[in-house]
Amino acid sequence: MIRRTLLACVAMTTTLAIATQVLAHDIAFTSNKSYPESVTYSPHQDVFLLGSVTQGIVAKLDKAGAYTPFITDNRLVSTVGLLVDDASNTLWVTNSDPGAGARTATATQGKLAAIATYDATTGAPKAYYDLGSLSPGAHFANDIALDAAGNAYVTDSFAPLIYKIDSHGKASIFAESSLFLTSEGFNLNGIAWHKDGYLLVGKYNSGELFRISTKDPTDIRKVKLPEALTGADGIHLIDGKHLLVAQNLAANRTVELTSGDGWQSATITRTEASKLSMPTATVTVGKDVYVLNSRLDTLFDPKATKVGDYLLQQF
């Protein structure tokens, strides 16, 4: 009986220790109802960078959960996609207006699609690109990816477009297709660059994933999936064969896709439910992966209480 009791206590202590260790990897943080939609990580600074749908700022977040405003720029309405490039010390930020920001305006709501770049260390402005001026109609610059040559690719959720800003700073429409826009609301969303010369792009409302050649942007292929990933938001390549998808709406989970045929098809190899609502982005930190629980559902629900606590959940 004594041995059994001791063994039970040891087992319970071990279980609690493991649980505490797992929980310790999650990074909870608070802000003044900033509603970050995207996250990126700078190994050079050992810091996360977050956007804000409501305030249009960029903030820094350390691993202890300390949140500090970093960039304030009156041109920014809602800072959506973020990507830091330590090699060039540049922070890329997509600027859009979904109508929930403090600086939202009739002239920009549903029309703004821009990219701003900053010194990743000091926050000093570098360049600004008005992508929405490249074509008429509704626009929403959402996510961004960089290739090895320094070219940037940006999805537009309200227009059937992917933009390109080349390494010399020239902005253009890179790819356009009826496949990219089939209904109102958010269409193209997350984007990632694959070293074999193509982009992987998710479509939010239909749950499709596209493979688009960077050499021939008319070469657009649907990746065969076991199911539609409706609500596919931010996507992130871990390596050439593994892709993470932050899937919100009713799913509220993170999905790991694996492909063994160059992303002609993919299988679901892992899923994990979100602890809070609306996972919108994933990021790698060394061997760890974090998922941003943005809670944006409470922002866009007029009846919901607005919140200021969010979570980077370890995947």
Side-chain angles (χ1 to χ4, degrees):
M1 181 65 71
I2 294 176
R3 290 181 178 179
R4 289 181 181 178
T5 304
L6 286 173
L7 287 172
C9 289
V10 170
M12 183 178 294
T13 302
T14 303
T15 300
L16 289 173
I18 292 172
T20 301
Q21 184 179 12
V22 171
L23 290 174
H25 285 292
D26 290 342
I27 303 173
F29 63 99
T30 59
S31 66
N32 185 23
K33 300 176 183 176
S34 63
Y35 283 98
E37 196 275 346
S38 187
V39 60
T40 186
Y41 174 75
S42 167
H44 175 69
Q45 300 182 59
D46 190 24
V47 70
F48 298 96
L49 295 121
L50 300 159
S52 169
V53 172
T54 54
Q55 300 166 11
I57 65 170
V58 176
K60 288 186 176 182
L61 180 75
D62 67 22
K63 292 177 181 176
Y67 177 95
T68 308
F70 174 46
I71 295 172
T72 300
D73 185 336
N74 288 333
R75 297 174 298 181
L76 303 179
V77 179
S78 290
T79 44
V80 187
L82 270 69
L83 184 62
V84 64
D85 178 26
D86 277 343
S88 63
N89 195 37
T90 300
L91 174 66
W92 296 77
V93 180
T94 64
N95 182 26
S96 296
D97 184 1
R103 286 188 284 272
T104 187
T106 302
T108 56
Q109 185 174 349
K111 304 166 189 171
L112 177 63
I115 289 287
T117 60
Y118 302 89
D119 184 295
T121 305
T122 67
K126 285 190 171 185
Y128 191 85
Y129 306 92
D130 180 8
L131 302 178
S133 65
L134 296 175
S135 68
H139 294 287
F140 188 99
N142 199 318
D143 201 10
I144 186 168
L146 288 175
D147 67 17
N151 301 301
Y153 303 89
V154 183
T155 55
D156 192 322
S157 295
F158 291 172
L161 303 171
I162 297 173
Y163 305 102
K164 179 179 179 179
I165 303 171
D166 70 19
S167 57
H168 300 290
K170 181 182 178 182
S172 62
I173 294 172
F174 170 72
E176 183 172 7
S177 172
S178 60
L179 294 171
F180 298 161
L181 184 68
T182 53
S183 65
E184 293 183 357
F186 286 85
N187 286 262
L188 293 188
N189 199 316
I191 186 170
W193 173 77
H194 194 285
K195 61 181 178 61
D196 289 342
Y198 51 87
L199 303 170
L200 293 171
V201 183
K203 191 174 176 185
Y204 187 80
N205 49 14
S206 67
E208 296 169 291
L209 183 67
F210 298 104
R211 181 187 188 273
I212 306 166
S213 169
T214 53
K215 293 182 179 179
D216 178 8
T218 65
D219 182 3
I220 303 169
R221 308 178 190 182
K222 290 184 183 180
V223 179
K224 184 179 180 181
L225 300 175
E227 63 183 78
L229 298 177
T230 307
D233 204 317
I235 67 175
H236 180 62
L237 267 174
I238 299 298
D239 55 37
K241 295 183 178 181
H242 299 88
L243 181 79
L244 295 182
V245 181
Q247 186 184 4
N248 48 63
L249 292 179
N252 269 326
R253 65 178 184 171
T254 300
V255 177
E256 179 185 63
L257 295 176
T258 301
S259 176
D261 58 6
W263 294 97
Q264 304 297 324
S265 65
T267 58
I268 295 175
T269 48
R270 183 184 170 194
T271 65
E272 184 172 316
S274 293
K275 295 177 180 178
L276 298 180
S277 60
M278 285 291 282
T280 50
T282 68
V283 65
T284 50
V285 181
K287 295 182 180 180
D288 296 322
V289 174
Y290 290 93
V291 182
L292 175 61
N293 291 198
S294 71
R295 309 190 71 184
L296 278 169
D297 54 318
T298 65
L299 175 63
F300 290 103
D301 181 354
K303 297 180 180 179
T305 301
K306 307 315 171 200
V307 300
D309 55 306
Y310 313 100
L311 184 69
L312 284 180
Q313 177 180 335
Q314 188 189 35
F315 178 72

